């Protein structure tokens, strides 16, 4: 399973890329607006930090303009995916991108039916939003499992990128559901790596080692 960072915060990306486990980055208009910087500069900076798919969202409502915007962002760098909302116009734009060889991440997906349309349009990635499905009292992780099952059954090549993940339990659920990719806010990585039994175990190992005189020369 690939792990993407869901952020446009370059400082955060720099920090977590050092872990050596980041496969890509997703952004959206809200994340971009939060940074308050020139979006192209932000995206280009990210391309220097991460050698993998980087999603940049189009902001038009009609397919023709979405396609024009997708051409613009995808020309900046080979790793840039045009992120396209899952509307009827977005599906049309996705199909245009597929035919033009532009990689796409079809976003704001909330149902298996929508995911089917994204796959039929040749989307490279589809982004179902787990947390926002939970927000309306349904099971976001079920949506991931259902899309993965349906795509596998029919052999669609579109990859399932689980988005809107809010906590480590979502990450575990996405693994169990077979998501191809998760995109997570960086703070979730801190929560994933931390375990009190690791901290306790390490403290005990270190204490025992310090008390062992015969052990002290091993790494000298
Ligand atoms: O990738 C989509 C994600 O940024 C949305 O997350 O927490 O705003 O639902 P959230």
């Amino acid at each position: 399973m690939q792990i993407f960072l869901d952020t446009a915060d370059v400082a955060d990306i720099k920090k977590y890329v050092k872990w050596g486990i980041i496969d890509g980055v997703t952004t959206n208009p809200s994340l971009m607006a939060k940074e308050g910087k020139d979006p192209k500069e932000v995206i280009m900076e990210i391309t220097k930090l991460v050698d993998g798919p980087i999603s940049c969202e189009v902001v038009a409502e009609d397919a023709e303009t979405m396609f024009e915007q997708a051409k613009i962002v995808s020309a900046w760098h080979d790793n840039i995916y045009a992120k396209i909302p899952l509307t009827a116009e977005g599906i049309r734009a996705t199909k245009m991108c597929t035919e033009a060889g532009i990689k796409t991440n079809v976003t704001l997906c909330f149902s298996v039916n929508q995911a089917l349309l994204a796959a039929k349009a040749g989307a490279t990635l589809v982004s179902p939003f787990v947390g926002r499905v939970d927000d309306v009292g349904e099971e976001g992780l079920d949506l991931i499992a259902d899309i993965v099952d349906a795509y596998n059954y029919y052999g669609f090549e579109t990859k399932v990128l689980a988005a809107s993940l809010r906590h480590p339990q979502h990450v575990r659920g996405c693994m169990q559901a077979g998501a191809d990719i998760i995109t997570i806010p960086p703070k979730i990585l801190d929560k994933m790596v931390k375990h009190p039994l690791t901290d306790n175990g390490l403290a005990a190992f270190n204490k025992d080692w310090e008390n062992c005189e015969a052990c002290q020369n091993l790494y000298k």
Side-chain angles (χ1 to χ4, degrees):
M1 186 172 77
Q2 292 192 306
I3 299 180
F4 291 5
L5 287 178
D6 193 26
T7 182
D9 183 331
V10 171
D12 260 355
I13 295 169
K14 263 188 200 150
K15 176 179 165 189
Y16 289 94
V17 150
K18 289 189 187 141
W19 289 23
I21 57 152
I22 301 303
D23 301 297
V25 173
T26 51
T27 66
N28 64 36
S30 302
L31 292 171
M32 276 295 181
K34 198 168 137 206
E35 298 308 308
K37 296 181 189 162
D38 180 316
K40 181 175 179 185
E41 281 174 23
V42 171
I43 292 287
M44 293 315 290
E45 187 80 12
I46 297 172
T47 62
K48 290 183 206 141
L49 298 171
V50 178
D51 185 19
I54 296 156
S55 295
C56 182
E57 193 151 341
V58 302
V59 291
E61 287 181 12
D62 66 284
E64 285 71 21
T65 314
M66 284 181 192
F67 180 50
E68 288 309 312
Q69 294 181 352
K71 282 196 278 191
I72 291 169
V73 296
S74 64
W76 295 342
H77 194 283
D78 280 351
N79 284 347
I80 297 176
Y81 286 43
K83 202 171 179 190
I84 300 180
L86 213 162
T87 57
E89 291 297 297
I91 291 299
R92 284 184 59 223
T94 301
K95 182 71 179 182
M96 292 178 200
C97 287
T98 303
E99 285 171 353
I102 296 170
K103 293 184 273 285
T104 50
N105 173 4
V106 176
T107 189
L108 290 166
C109 174
F110 292 93
S111 74
V112 178
N113 284 315
Q114 288 182 314
L116 169 62
L117 300 177
K120 291 290 291 177
T124 321
L125 310 173
V126 68
S127 289
F129 276 34
V130 175
R132 293 193 193 184
V133 171
D134 290 352
D135 287 344
V136 294
E138 288 169 28
E139 286 292 339
L141 290 171
D142 286 353
L143 175 62
I144 301 298
D146 291 347
I147 296 172
V148 168
D149 284 351
Y151 277 10
N152 285 343
Y153 183 82
Y154 287 103
F156 286 122
E157 286 177 12
T158 302
K159 290 199 181 328
V160 178
L161 191 174
S164 181
L165 303 186
R166 309 266 175 81
H167 43 70
Q169 208 175 345
H170 275 158
V171 174
R172 194 181 63 173
C174 284
M175 287 187 76
Q176 288 165 340
D180 299 293
I181 307 163
I182 53 165
T183 189
I184 50 175
K187 63 176 189 285
I188 293 187
L189 280 175
D190 290 324
K191 291 181 180 169
M192 286 167 66
V193 78
K194 202 84 183 136
H195 199 293
L197 292 180
T198 305
D199 295 343
N200 293 349
L202 186 58
F205 287 159
N206 286 342
K207 189 159 171 270
D208 291 342
W209 187 263
E210 279 162 24
N211 290 333
C212 165
E213 210 174 318
C215 301
Q216 299 310 309
N217 287 330
L218 181 62
Y219 296 117
K220 292 206 171 128

